[in-house]
């Protein structure tokens, strides 16, 4: 999935931030990758602190039977 937002605060330039997620399920395993701020947008967050750049999160989930 892909989620994006274009925003602009008073006195600042507009920016586009996009996040993406891909998930694959194989039997009892679920593999996922999340990419935050895909384009590496530069902007200040609500606390006026520079928002982090692009980051990637990899996850592996193993589900056991519930017998």
């Amino acid at each position: 999935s892909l989620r994006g937002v274009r925003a602009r605060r008073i006195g600042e330039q507009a920016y586009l931030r996009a996040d993406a997620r891909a998930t694959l399920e194989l039997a009892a395993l679920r593999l996922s990758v999340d990419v935050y701020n895909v384009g590496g947008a530069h902007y200040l967050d609500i606390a006026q602190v520079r928002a982090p750049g692009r980051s990637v999160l990899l996850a592996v989930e193993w589900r056991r039977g519930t017998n």
Side-chain angles (χ1 to χ4, degrees):
S1 64
L2 181 64
R3 179 182 61 184
V5 64
R6 184 176 189 277
R8 182 178 154 300
R9 292 195 179 99
I10 295 173
E12 297 179 17
Q13 291 187 343
Y15 64 90
L16 174 64
R17 178 188 164 127
D19 302 326
R21 169 179 282 175
T23 303
L24 176 64
E25 293 193 32
L26 301 168
L29 285 177
R30 178 183 296 164
L31 310 171
S32 63
V33 60
D34 292 299
V35 182
Y36 301 105
N37 196 4
V38 173
H42 300 286
Y43 61 96
L44 299 177
D45 68 12
I46 194 70
Q48 297 297 303
V49 176
R50 187 179 180 110
R54 181 181 310 113
S55 59
V56 177
L57 173 69
L58 301 173
V60 177
E61 179 182 347
W62 175 52
R63 295 178 299 248
R64 292 179 24 174
T66 56
N67 296 1

